[in-house]
């Protein structure tokens, strides 16, 4: 889901640029700010992982990404950068937190396969975004697409709550 959200801005760029009256080449700034958000988390996020645990960190990340999608619905164009930074911050916990959970709970004899499947989730999120988001825009416009992204991330954050027991006390 985090990867899906990270691939959202470039996937919906034509509709987003049109809605905000921006030149198409501006999407590069949004993609860059998204990656900057991820880097900020990766540089400074270790205390968050230690304090809240991996599952809660993933939930926080999903909520940040969901909030970023909602920010895209606001008519104030400068907030688009803030939305992409939030999505990047939300993507940040996915690799370290996911690796921590799998390292602690995956059976040693299947760990390589399980980590490979985990890594396949990154391009799968991008594929899912590429297949679904343009269709949502065609069906109900940009706002429906953004609302669906918000709901997808928010629902996922809530659905993983029972797995917080996997975090060490």
């Amino acid at each position: 889901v985090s990867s899906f959200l990270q691939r959202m801005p470039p996937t919906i760029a034509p509709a987003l640029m049109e809605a905000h009256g921006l030149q198409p080449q501006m999407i590069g700034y949004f993609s860059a700010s998204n990656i900057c958000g991820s880097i900020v988390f990766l540089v400074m996020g270790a205390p968050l992982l230690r304090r809240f645990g991996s599952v809660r960190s993933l939930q926080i990340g999903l909520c940040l990404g969901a909030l970023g999608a909602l920010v895209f619905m606001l008519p104030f164009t400068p907030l688009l950068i803030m939305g992409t930074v939030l999505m990047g911050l939300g993507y940040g916990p996915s690799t370290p937190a996911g690796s921590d959970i799998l390292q602690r709970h995956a059976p040693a004899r299947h760990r390589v396969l399980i980590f490979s499947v985990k890594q396949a989730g990154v391009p799968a999120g991008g594929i899912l975004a590429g297949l679904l988001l343009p269709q949502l825009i065609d069906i109900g416009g940009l706002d429906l697409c953004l609302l669906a992204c918000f709901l997808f991330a928010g629902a996922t954050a809530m659905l993983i709550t029972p797995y917080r027991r996997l975090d060490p006390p």
Side-chain angles (χ1 to χ4, degrees), residues 1 55-56 58-60 62-63 150-166:
V1 176
V55 176
R56 177 61 78 177
L58 289 171
Q59 288 179 300
I60 291 168
L62 288 168
C63 290
F150 167 77
L151 293 172
F152 182 41
T156 303
M158 289 185 336
L159 288 171
I160 64 173
T161 297
Y163 297 97
R164 287 192 43 225
R165 66 178 173 20
L166 297 176

Side-chain angles (χ1 to χ4, degrees), residues 93-118:
S94 61
T95 298
S99 295
D100 173 59
I101 292 167
L102 292 177
Q103 183 65 34
R104 286 187 289 113
H105 298 285
R109 67 182 186 280
H110 298 297
R111 199 167 284 146
V112 172
L113 173 63
I114 291 170
F115 271 83
S116 296
V117 171
K118 171 194 166 293

Side-chain angles (χ1 to χ4, degrees), residues 39-156:
I39 291 170
V40 166
F41 179 86
L42 291 172
V43 169
M44 300 170 40
L48 178 76
L49 288 169
R50 280 192 300 276
R51 178 180 172 128
F52 295 110
S54 295
V55 176
R56 177 61 78 177
S57 296
L58 289 171
Q59 288 179 300
I60 291 168
L62 288 168
C63 290
L64 288 172
L67 182 61
L70 277 185
V71 167
F72 271 37
M73 293 177 78
L74 299 174
F76 189 57
T77 301
L79 290 178
L80 292 174
I81 295 292
M82 186 179 89
T84 56
V85 169
L86 286 170
M87 284 182 237
L89 284 168
Y91 180 76
S94 61
T95 298
S99 295
D100 173 59
I101 292 167
L102 292 177
Q103 183 65 34
R104 286 187 289 113
H105 298 285
R109 67 182 186 280
H110 298 297
R111 199 167 284 146
V112 172
L113 173 63
I114 291 170
F115 271 83
S116 296
V117 171
K118 171 194 166 293
Q119 288 304 112
V122 174
I127 291 167
L128 192 62
L131 291 173
L132 294 179
L133 298 180
Q135 300 302 320
L136 287 172
I137 291 171
D138 285 346
I139 291 168
L142 184 60
D143 283 347
L144 173 70
C145 175
L146 295 170
L147 183 61
C149 291
F150 167 77
L151 293 172
F152 182 41
T156 303

